[in-house]
Amino acid sequence: GQNIDQPTEMTATEGAIVQINCTYQTSGFNGLFWYQQHAGEAPTFLSYNVLDGLEEKGRFSSFLSRSKGYSYLLLKELQMKDSASYLCAADNAGNMLTFGGGTRLMVKP
Amino acid sequence: DARVTQTPRDKVTEMGQEVTMRCQPILGHNTVFWYRQTMMQGLELLAYFRNRAPLDDSGMPKDRFSAEMPDATLATLKIQPSEPRDSAVYFCASGLGGGGTEAFFGQGTRLTVV
């Protein structure tokens, strides 16, 4: 079966750094997506990791360890607009996307 | 600009009624997903199509839900009869298929069954 776990909620301060973790157990794993979803809106793509290591994209970075079934999303220089849910999703056999429950991040002044 | 279009945006219906949700994928995308999102369950995959053929619908309650792609520009999700527990936001997403290609989401249909 598919199992993707991430924390339900996190709180951080504007200007700080926050790391959102995701662990997964899936069959036919290809890679790991991160999506951002603001309240009342659709999820939007942030990053995709297929190889082990860190991928940096501006203030956001994503890390993958295939051997450990582990990924994290790192957000630097937090802004109020970063308050949203962050969803990790496994890209499985047949390119089927299975999502975790999402982590709701609240950024406080 | 290219986007996934879902209709209706909001739907309120009475228990027992039939509900049909429609999705127009981005032109040229060959992969379509239907997801249901609730506070309790998060994003659940209901059905997944590649080149209009259903590849996986194991997450969909078969007794009342059905998903089809009559042509490459239209995907439908139907619930008959609807129940209050079906109240959720239903998202359609499309993509080019192949490993690592992102799925683009529509704005969703917020369904309320009373």
Side-chain angles (χ1 to χ4, degrees):
Chain A
Q2 319 285 343
N3 195 31
I4 301 173
D5 289 317
Q6 47 182 135
T8 306
E9 284 188 358
M10 296 182 74
T11 303
T13 304
E14 192 176 14
I17 299 173
V18 70
Q19 178 174 313
I20 302 174
N21 296 324
C22 171
T23 58
Y24 63 89
Q25 288 178 303
T26 68
S27 55
F29 179 78
N30 293 319
L32 199 291
F33 284 95
W34 282 95
Y35 278 77
Q36 181 190 58
Q37 185 179 25
H38 284 100
E41 297 183 9
T44 55
F45 170 81
L46 285 178
S47 66
Y48 180 72
N49 291 69
V50 61
L51 300 175
D52 283 1
L54 188 68
E55 297 267 350
E56 297 188 68
K57 191 185 294 186
R59 293 190 300 114
F60 292 9
S61 303
S62 55
F63 172 84
L64 177 68
S65 168
R66 297 177 72 105
S67 61
K68 295 181 179 177
Y70 168 67
S71 174
Y72 67 73
L73 180 69
L74 193 70
L75 291 76
K76 303 176 187 175
E77 301 169 16
L78 279 173
Q79 301 176 9
M80 298 300 290
K81 67 177 181 178
D82 296 330
S83 293
S85 287
Y86 292 86
L87 311 168
C88 66
D91 180 12
N92 299 320
N95 305 120
M96 194 169 73
L97 280 186
T98 305
F99 282 83
T103 299
R104 190 167 62 184
L105 174 67
M106 288 172 281
V107 180
K108 297 188 173 180
Chain B
D1 59 329
R3 65 180 73 182
V4 176
T5 304
Q6 289 186 245
T7 56
R9 289 294 306 275
D10 283 279
K11 176 72 175 179
V12 180
T13 191
E14 291 185 348
M15 182 173 63
Q17 296 297 305
E18 177 180 300
V19 175
T20 299
M21 290 168 272
R22 293 177 173 81
C23 169
Q24 181 176 1
I26 293 173
L27 188 64
H29 283 187
N30 66 350
T31 305
V32 173
F33 303 88
W34 280 106
Y35 289 93
R36 175 172 62 185
Q37 188 174 42
T38 61
M39 288 294 291
M40 295 299 294
Q41 299 294 330
L43 265 175
E44 299 175 277
L45 180 65
L46 297 176
Y48 166 43
F49 290 80
R50 172 79 56 82
N51 296 320
R52 295 176 55 201
L55 290 192
D56 192 294
D57 60 1
S58 57
M60 195 165 67
K62 303 291 192 306
D63 56 337
R64 299 183 299 107
F65 285 60
S66 61
E68 295 179 348
M69 280 201 73
D71 61 61
T73 65
L74 178 64
T76 61
L77 181 67
K78 187 176 295 185
I79 308 174
Q80 168 62 20
S82 57
E83 298 181 1
R85 59 179 168 152
D86 301 329
S87 297
V89 180
Y90 291 81
F91 284 104
C92 172
S94 73
L96 288 171
T101 55
E102 65 181 278
F104 292 80
F105 281 76
Q107 290 303 299
T109 293
R110 180 176 298 276
L111 174 65
T112 305
V113 184
V114 298

